[in-house]
Amino acid sequence: MLLCLDIGNTSISLGLFDRAAADASERRPTPLLTAKLSSDMGRTADEYAIILRGLLCERTSEITEVAMGSVVPQLTH
């Protein structure tokens, strides 16, 4: 599974994709999950981890790839 994150100044968008299950005729796989949360410099890494685990439920062990874009260096790590 591929987890994609787009970290912006006001929000963080994410999508979870199962590239193996994508139809060969499709150029892009359909997202299994999409979510958006607010960018908050006051949140700790642990808080973000709790939020992400809650959104991803039991799928965290299935994630094998991550693609991330960020314009907020303070939130990148």
Side-chain angles (χ1 to χ4, degrees), residues 21-55:
D23 185 349
S25 64
E26 294 180 24
R27 290 187 179 164
R28 290 180 263 174
T30 303
L32 300 174
L33 167 96
T34 59
K36 187 172 251 187
L37 50 136
S38 62
S39 297
D40 184 349
M41 310 273 199
R43 283 190 184 139
T44 65
D46 291 335
E47 289 173 305
Y48 275 112
I50 290 167
I51 293 168
L52 287 174
R53 284 192 180 123
L55 287 170

Side-chain angles (χ1 to χ4, degrees), residues 41-77:
M41 310 273 199
R43 283 190 184 139
T44 65
D46 291 335
E47 289 173 305
Y48 275 112
I50 290 167
I51 293 168
L52 287 174
R53 284 192 180 123
L55 287 170
L56 298 171
C57 299
E58 302 297 318
R59 296 187 180 268
T60 54
S61 63
E62 300 174 48
I63 297 170
T64 57
E65 302 170 290
V66 176
M68 181 175 69
S70 176
V71 296
V72 188
Q74 299 90 331
L75 294 178
T76 300
H77 28 278

Side-chain angles (χ1 to χ4, degrees), residues 3-21:
L3 174 63
C4 296
L5 299 159
D6 178 16
I7 302 171
N9 289 308
T10 58
S11 65
I12 300 171
S13 300
L14 64 97
L16 185 64
F17 302 87
D18 186 356
R19 297 185 341 159

